[in-house]
Amino acid sequence: MQNIRKITEDVFYVGASDRRLALFENIYPIERGVSYNSYVVLDEKTVLLDTADHSVSREFLENVEAALSGRDLDYLVVNHMEPDHCSVIAEIVLRYPDVKIVGNQKTMQMIKQFYTFDVDSRAHVVKDGDTLTTGKHTFAFVFAPMVHWPEVMVTFDTSNGFLFSADAFGTFGALAGNIYADEVEFEKEWLDDARRYYINIVGKYGVQVVNTLKKAASLPIKMILPLHGPIWRENIGWFISKYQTWATYVSEEKGLLMVYSSIYGDTANAVDVLAAKCAEKGVKNIHIYDASKTDCSVLVSECFRYSTIVFASPTYNAEIFPKMEMLLTELKAHAFQNRDAAVIENGTWALSAGKKMSEMLASMKDIRVIAPVLSIKSSLKDEQMGDVEALADALKKSVEA
Ligand SMILES: Cc1cc2nc3c(=O)[nH]c(=O)nc-3n(C[C@H](O)[C@H](O)[C@H](O)COP(=O)(O)O)c2cc1C
Ligand SMILES: [Fe+2]
Ligand SMILES: [Fe+2]
């Protein structure tokens, strides 16, 4: 059964949600599922903006057919060639063989890499800033390279101010009837997933995101229609400002994040003792995570969120405990920068985790280590409480700066 949604008289939502997939990109857990959004515009010419993931292809194809209500498809705009959005392109071409595919040079190259159908005879190649008029609607194509992949562009409908923003402004989370952000408790129920999506998917490309935000600032945007998650028609500035914060590597909140690894519990205990000391000194907004229990994508996202971070790990076969090492590796891979940090190490015979963690933090940009490494030999001892107090003071100063 088709399940299309009318956005305006001539713009339709034809996407669908997947609540079954465990791991997005086969790496990010998505407890709340994910939606693959796609849009049809009915003008003198008909337009489909992006396709969907193969997992929802049956509903998607029914939706496209229903939205077109018997008409042929004239244009398929491909804003992004990642398979979560392009995996139904060949099927669209089979069903609508006269369709013109709108994309840039890189898009066409990628379509040819993924598929074997005749691309050249259908290609409508656009350059940055080019427009396409389909009757009442004029679409402007704005390149947004690396706002996930190099071929990415966003499409601005100048007739109604709709920005088809590709992966930008998307989020994990399946849709549940409501397709607009103002119809759900976005800040309470969606923001954590939106942050985790942004940081993990495009967090590395802050500079490119800022460039795209600059281009977007000059457009009279009335609605943002992303490829994942709800559509924005109210409070757009609030969500754009979140992107501005994340893309510029500024912390979103003053707060203390403590992430530890611990095999038998003594490193965890040291972190709890330190957190209590910080709380006694008046520090608020303290969060503790076990890196073995919480998925790395959540930890990376939380590191981007808070101003001050403690990393604690036992020495493990002369290395950092693997889950902590993975977090630090992932932070570096996502260009994590501009934070205050402190390190706690543990070990029973030859401690080396602290030095190695410090080296990894030093290899990232502008990570300010605000205290000497707190070294624990097997378990925290009374005589170390002076050091713990000093560390708590440094953390308080950082959080309250
Ligand atoms: C598999 C394994 C490898 C370890 N390798 C080292 C090591 O190379 N150097 C060291 O000083 N301690 C090593 N340790 C000891 C732990 O770092 C130490 O017992 C620490 O106190 C554990 O902290 P926890 O109670 O938070 O798990 C190792 C422990 C395990 C289980
Ligand atoms: Fe993508
Ligand atoms: Fe995507």
Side-chain angles (χ1 to χ4, degrees):
M1 172 67 180
Q2 60 89 358
N3 187 19
I4 63 174
R5 305 296 298 279
K6 194 182 218 177
I7 295 169
T8 65
E9 280 310 305
D10 56 4
V11 181
F12 298 86
Y13 177 88
V14 296
S17 286
D18 184 351
R19 295 176 193 84
R20 193 169 181 172
L21 183 69
L23 298 175
F24 185 81
E25 286 187 6
N26 218 4
I27 185 165
Y28 305 115
I30 43 168
E31 283 293 311
R32 297 174 58 251
V34 66
S35 77
Y36 303 104
N37 302 342
S38 170
Y39 306 93
V40 162
V41 178
L42 295 183
D43 204 359
E44 283 169 32
K45 301 283 183 191
T46 59
V47 185
L48 172 63
L49 291 117
D50 290 294
T51 70
D53 189 77
H54 63 86
S55 61
V56 298
S57 63
R58 189 167 167 224
E59 186 174 336
F60 166 73
L61 288 164
E62 274 190 68
N63 286 351
V64 172
E65 194 179 334
L68 290 173
S69 52
R71 294 179 63 184
D72 197 8
L73 180 62
D74 297 305
Y75 291 106
L76 165 62
V77 176
V78 181
N79 282 315
H80 186 16
M81 260 309 288
E82 191 166 11
D84 58 331
H85 307 294
C86 78
S87 67
V88 198
I89 288 188
E91 184 64 33
I92 286 287
V93 167
L94 270 179
R95 291 177 175 224
Y96 309 100
D98 296 329
V99 68
K100 287 271 175 268
I101 298 177
V102 183
N104 53 57
Q105 275 310 349
K106 287 188 178 128
T107 323
M108 301 305 166
Q109 179 60 36
M110 287 187 185
I111 300 177
K112 288 178 194 172
Q113 286 173 204
F114 280 101
Y115 298 108
T116 52
F117 66 80
D118 176 10
V119 177
D120 288 332
S121 70
R122 299 184 172 91
H124 180 104
V125 178
V126 294
K127 292 192 285 300
D128 191 15
D130 277 1
T131 58
L132 172 72
T133 299
T134 55
K136 279 195 297 185
H137 294 258
T138 295
F139 298 95
F141 306 102
V142 180
F143 288 14
M146 295 325 290
V147 182
H148 201 202
W149 280 20
E151 84 297 357
V152 171
M153 53 185 203
V154 297
T155 298
F156 185 66
D157 185 340
T158 58
S159 73
N160 54 14
F162 285 15
L163 180 69
F164 296 93
S165 62
D167 274 342
F169 304 109
T171 172
F172 297 133
L175 295 174
N178 299 122
I179 58 170
Y180 299 102
D182 55 273
E183 295 176 331
V184 299
E185 295 283 343
F186 194 89
E187 193 163 0
K188 216 165 87 197
E189 290 174 11
W190 288 77
L191 182 60
D192 286 349
D193 261 339
R195 180 189 306 106
R196 188 165 65 94
Y197 168 87
Y198 169 81
I199 301 299
N200 286 280
I201 306 287
V202 266
K204 182 178 182 185
Y205 302 108
V207 173
Q208 290 85 343
V209 173
V210 168
N211 286 339
T212 303
L213 290 173
K214 270 190 207 138
K215 284 186 184 178
S218 64
L219 302 173
I221 299 169
K222 293 267 165 38
M223 216 186 269
I224 296 179
L225 303 97
L227 288 177
H228 304 283
I231 296 166
W232 289 82
R233 60 182 178 184
E234 285 176 20
N235 236 351
I236 293 176
W238 175 81
F239 200 39
I240 291 179
S241 77
K242 287 287 176 198
Y243 260 65
Q244 189 69 35
T245 301
W246 298 332
T248 50
Y249 304 97
V250 178
S251 64
E252 201 176 333
E253 288 174 38
K254 283 278 173 191
L256 177 55
L257 172 66
M258 308 173 96
V259 188
Y260 67 80
S261 286
S262 187
I263 309 146
Y264 297 113
D266 276 306
T267 312
N269 169 257
V271 165
D272 276 316
V273 169
L274 176 62
K277 277 280 161 261
C278 290
E280 280 171 4
K281 290 177 188 295
V283 178
K284 296 191 191 72
N285 206 15
I286 308 174
H287 304 265
I288 301 179
Y289 287 97
D290 181 333
S292 292
K293 171 79 185 297
T294 303
D295 187 76
C296 191
S297 69
V298 174
L299 300 176
V300 170
S301 175
E302 291 290 85
C303 286
F304 270 71
R305 181 174 178 180
Y306 296 110
S307 56
T308 311
I309 306 163
V310 174
F311 298 95
S313 174
T315 305
Y316 196 73
N317 298 324
E319 299 289 337
I320 305 166
F321 191 75
K323 297 284 183 178
M324 177 59 65
E325 184 163 34
M326 183 162 87
L327 170 61
L328 293 169
T329 303
E330 282 291 290
L331 283 173
K332 172 142 182 156
H334 287 84
F336 183 64
Q337 52 190 274
N338 186 30
R339 288 295 184 286
D340 287 352
V343 170
I344 300 175
E345 69 173 345
N346 198 348
T348 297
W349 59 91
L351 287 71
S352 58
K355 183 168 174 277
K356 295 201 164 175
M357 287 158 79
S358 302
E359 281 166 6
M360 286 184 82
L361 290 170
S363 75
M364 298 175 212
K365 197 175 156 198
D366 205 11
I367 300 296
R368 300 167 294 267
V369 176
I370 57 168
V373 173
L374 177 65
S375 288
I376 302 162
K377 291 215 169 88
S378 302
S379 66
L380 192 62
K381 292 291 187 297
D382 278 343
E383 56 267 28
Q384 289 186 285
M385 285 315 289
D387 292 343
V388 172
E389 290 277 351
L391 177 52
D393 285 331
L395 293 168
K396 176 181 162 76
K397 206 169 142 207
S398 165
V399 174
E400 292 176 358

